[in-house]
Amino acid sequence: MKRIVGVLGIALAIGLSGQADAQTLKTVRDRGALICGVSQGLPGFSNPDDKGTWTGLDVDFCRAIAAAIFNDPTKVKFTPLSSKDRFEPLKSSEVDLLSRNTTWTSSRDALFNFAGVIYFDGQGFMVRKALKVNSALELNGASICTQTGTTTELNLGDYFRSNNMKYEVIAFGSADETIKAYESGRCDAFTTDMSQLYSERLKLSNANDHVILPEVISKEPLGPLVRQGDDQWFDVVKWTLFAMLNAEELGVSSKTLDDALKSKQPEIRRMLGVDGTYGEQLGLTRDWVVRIVRHVGNYGEVFERNVGASSKLGISRGINRLWTKGGIQYAPPIR
Amino acid sequence: MSATFVREQLVAPMEQPRSNVGTPAWLQQKLFGSVLNTVVTIISAVIFAALVWPAIRFMLIDAVWDGSSRVDCLAETVGRPVGACWPFIAAKFAQFMYGFYPAEEVWRINLTYAIGIVLLAPLLIPPVPYKVLNAILFFGVFPVVAFYLLIGGVFGLPHVETRVWGGLLVTLVITFAGIIGALPIGIVLALGRRSSLLLVRWFCVIFIEFWRGVPLITVLFFATYMLPFFLPEAWKLDPLARVLIGVILFAGAYMAEVVRGGLQAIPRGQYEAARALGLGYWKMMAFVVLPQALKLVIPGMVNSFIALFKDTTLVLIVAIFDLLGQLRASFADPNWATPVTLLTGFAFAGMIYFAISFAISRYALYVERRLSTGVAH
């Protein structure tokens, strides 16, 4: 019985996923709030603070979209989703977008639309110093703790196979269990995205006894994604990210915004809607970028606040710097 | 005559042998009565000490009581091994209790609890009169009042979406709704399964077997993410309501089997006697069979209720944060990321779950003893 229902459900899910609501922007406006799928708790990306307010890079991106649509970053409702069950709610229109540190891959893009890359991540390893391992290539025969239902597990297999090394995977349901298992000696190494290695290291009782190995074994471009079949909404989400990047590139931050509005630079005038109607073309308002930057900030501000040097995680910008500063973050121009 | 010896006063009773009275005797008899007893006692004591002492150390002696961020709970800062990080619990306490419920509206939850306790307490204490009225108030009126008080949108109370409900509030709401909903459904299904009407019996059998055959996690997942595909937009139910319906049907099926066990234990003579007195089916069930059957299955019912109480943690997979979900979310706060955060959080949640489960089971034991005075089955 269970199997029949399951098969039926999957068949229907596949059959119906194509005809998702094609007017998300209108739905969001009518509802008066954006519904955003976020992680159930990922330090620096989405986690509730002491007052119960969601904070983090992924969360701030949702707030930026709300700011662009409503001129009010608080008009977002967060639906915290686990890594296993993150796609069904997006498919069934329970959420308007997924901003949940999801790696952009071809198979996922075949089912959804990725709006860009908010954080270029990569998978790394953490080991005990006492193990005297200096490179991931020395991990032959190691047992490795990881989290189930993520691309991490697959990358691990690829890396060890292509280097002809043996390994043993011990997989857990949540990040907390994984790091505790590693700490208690269940496995020799702990693997996950680099950004998380830093935050998980905060939870170890002698953080200095553990090292993060230099190898980055995979590309993990993390980005927000939406349903297929709604180009307007796709554009809104995509250009919210581009607007945050462009604002940083042009030196417009929440602090310099008022001066920037008086700027003579044509690029800044176009971006802030002083000249032209670029926001209206996207289905938003003329001052959409002003709203985003005023309420949430540009990409650099959001990065620093949540995961960068001024946060507990202290992750350096690395390849997430703008292309003008040696990184690979690049946004098409607003014009 | 005077030579006859007749005792005029009773001999003063002698004291019990010393080896028979007081704590030492009890210890001697119960714990060290034989070689085997002694060995078992010593082993138990060692295990007990090995488990309890570290727990006390962790939770009290080594614990940190004051602080405002992770730094205060790090061994480097404190300068000694650190046990539980209680400031973490203090900082997140409101979230553990109420979820993301707006702080200025929290009084509504507290008021709901207060009404619940005021109605429940006299119901649980046997000598207090007006039990029927009290039961109607608690099982009939209270859920409605609680519903409007928590959701709002009437009498000038701002509307609070179930999306922001969380923590212990959600755990209790689901458990309470599950218990209140499951009991009547369970009784009806159990009666239906023993009915002589073929159609009714088959319906009940299929219903019970279906819900017992499917794991709760599947039910929740299906109700939350699959139903929206089938149902038209206008029928969209609130996510928490969908979960509640799933839990009630699921718990109802289990309850049905528990009640059926009780029905089967009632001797045939009881049914026949009720019939002979001229009682119809419903009267027979209501006045003769069910009161005896339900009394028999109190342990089974309580077992189901406690299991239900703890099963509520499964709602985390459908993006509803119960106590445990809220706990896990707060583990992700980098402001409190320390080696002991996880252990502290689970110790706290464990104490809450234990306190509630233990209270339910002790009360059930008390009721059971009271009801079975003078009755031997």
Side-chain angles (χ1 to χ4, degrees), chain B residues 90-102:
Chain B
K92 306 279 183 187
F93 188 76
Q95 281 177 62
F96 294 157
M97 292 299 115
Y98 311 117
F100 303 118
Y101 211 89

Side-chain angles (χ1 to χ4, degrees), chain B residues 346-370:
Chain B
F346 280 129
F348 174 72
M351 286 191 285
I352 291 188
Y353 279 107
F354 180 79
I356 296 179
S357 302
F358 190 66
I360 298 177
S361 82
R362 293 316 294 186
Y363 179 74
L365 206 62
Y366 162 73
V367 170
E368 211 180 299
R369 285 207 189 110
R370 219 186 122 77

Side-chain angles (χ1 to χ4, degrees), chain B residues 125-206:
Chain B
I125 303 168
V128 180
Y130 305 116
K131 279 279 180 288
V132 174
L133 177 71
N134 201 332
I136 292 173
L137 281 178
F138 185 72
F139 291 107
V141 180
F142 174 62
V144 180
V145 172
F147 176 80
Y148 283 110
L149 206 52
L150 293 175
I151 287 263
V154 286
F155 306 122
L157 291 173
H159 176 68
V160 181
E161 280 185 297
T162 57
R163 168 189 303 279
V164 297
W165 297 20
L168 190 63
L169 169 68
V170 159
T171 303
L172 291 178
V173 164
I174 297 175
T175 312
F176 185 72
I179 291 175
I180 290 206
L183 200 53
I185 290 181
I187 292 174
V188 169
L189 283 173
L191 291 177
R193 194 169 180 165
R194 288 167 59 84
S195 164
S196 51
L197 303 171
L198 195 67
L199 222 58
V200 173
R201 190 166 73 230
W202 274 97
F203 171 79
C204 292
V205 168
I206 292 173

Side-chain angles (χ1 to χ4, degrees), chain A residues 1-2 5-6 8-10 12-13 16-17 35 40-44 46-54 77-82 85 88-89 91-94 174 176-177 180 183 199 202-208 312-313, chain B residues 68-71 74 76 91-92 95 99-100 161 163 210 213-215 218 221-222 224-226 228-230 233 236 239 242 316-321 325-326 328-340 342-343 346:
Chain A
M1 194 67 195
K2 180 188 152 199
V5 173
L8 243 169
I10 291 165
L12 266 156
L16 293 179
S17 58
I35 299 181
Q40 291 184 334
L42 184 68
S46 67
N47 62 267
D49 66 6
D50 287 353
K51 292 186 197 70
T53 318
W54 285 91
K77 296 170 180 176
F78 294 101
T79 301
L81 301 167
S82 74
D85 309 318
E88 281 73 10
K91 234 186 265 172
S92 61
S93 303
E94 294 283 299
S174 79
D176 293 315
E177 283 150 16
K180 276 290 163 201
E183 192 180 15
S199 67
L202 293 176
K203 296 178 187 162
L204 294 172
S205 34
N206 295 313
N208 294 329
K312 287 273 188 310
L313 302 187
Chain B
S68 55
S69 79
R70 69 184 292 268
V71 180
L74 291 177
E76 292 98 297
K92 306 279 183 187
Q95 281 177 62
F100 303 118
E161 280 185 297
R163 168 189 303 279
F210 173 79
V214 181
T218 316
F221 195 79
F222 197 86
T224 308
Y225 298 132
M226 289 299 173
F229 282 124
F230 309 127
E233 188 78 5
K236 252 191 183 173
R242 277 181 253 166
L316 181 59
I317 69 142
V318 291
I320 292 174
F321 277 10
Q326 210 75 46
R328 283 190 176 272
S330 53
F331 289 154
D333 188 348
N335 195 31
W336 288 104
T338 72
V340 291
L342 191 75
L343 298 173
F346 280 129

Side-chain angles (χ1 to χ4, degrees), chain A residues 63-264:
Chain A
R63 292 198 196 283
I65 299 174
I69 299 174
F70 300 109
N71 199 15
D72 182 352
T74 62
K75 290 197 170 164
V76 196
K77 296 170 180 176
F78 294 101
T79 301
L81 301 167
S82 74
S83 58
K84 271 203 310 274
D85 309 318
R86 61 183 126 174
F87 298 113
E88 281 73 10
L90 181 60
K91 234 186 265 172
S92 61
S93 303
E94 294 283 299
V95 297
D96 299 318
L97 80 149
L98 201 58
S99 178
R100 197 207 168 282
N101 64 303
T102 303
T103 305
W104 186 351
T105 64
S106 62
S107 57
R108 286 172 177 171
D109 213 352
L111 298 171
F112 302 100
N113 280 338
F114 278 83
V117 179
I118 196 163
Y119 188 97
F120 287 96
D121 212 337
Q123 188 176 335
F125 294 95
M126 177 157 59
V127 294
R128 281 180 200 79
K129 255 188 199 148
L131 217 58
K132 300 224 168 25
V133 167
N134 298 317
S135 153
L137 291 168
E138 297 168 30
L139 285 175
N140 194 4
S143 56
I144 294 166
C145 280
T146 183
Q147 213 182 323
T148 52
T150 60
T151 44
T152 321
E153 223 177 330
L154 307 173
N155 295 331
L156 189 66
D158 291 351
Y159 183 75
F160 275 78
R161 258 194 301 280
S162 59
N163 286 302
N164 273 325
M165 300 194 296
K166 283 204 200 82
Y167 71 106
E168 185 196 350
V169 173
I170 305 177
F172 297 87
S174 79
D176 293 315
E177 283 150 16
T178 320
I179 189 73
K180 276 290 163 201
Y182 165 72
E183 192 180 15
S184 66
R186 284 282 300 277
C187 31
D188 304 317
F190 170 60
T191 183
T192 186
D193 290 351
M194 282 297 211
S195 62
Q196 286 185 58
L197 282 182
Y198 284 95
S199 67
E200 294 302 325
R201 197 155 76 144
L202 293 176
K203 296 178 187 162
L204 294 172
S205 34
N206 295 313
N208 294 329
D209 294 351
H210 304 266
V211 283
I212 293 173
L213 298 177
E215 281 88 355
V216 176
I217 66 163
S218 71
K219 292 188 284 188
E220 306 286 344
L222 308 180
L225 53 154
V226 295
R227 279 181 296 280
Q228 288 185 335
D230 187 350
D231 289 354
Q232 185 195 32
W233 180 240
F234 183 33
D235 286 342
V236 167
V237 175
K238 188 159 53 178
W239 280 92
T240 301
L241 177 58
F242 290 158
M244 291 165 76
L245 287 167
N246 277 320
E248 188 190 2
E249 188 180 329
L250 297 172
V252 178
S253 72
S254 54
K255 290 183 197 72
T256 63
L257 185 62
D258 290 319
D259 293 334
L261 279 167
K262 293 175 217 128
S263 167
K264 296 239 163 19

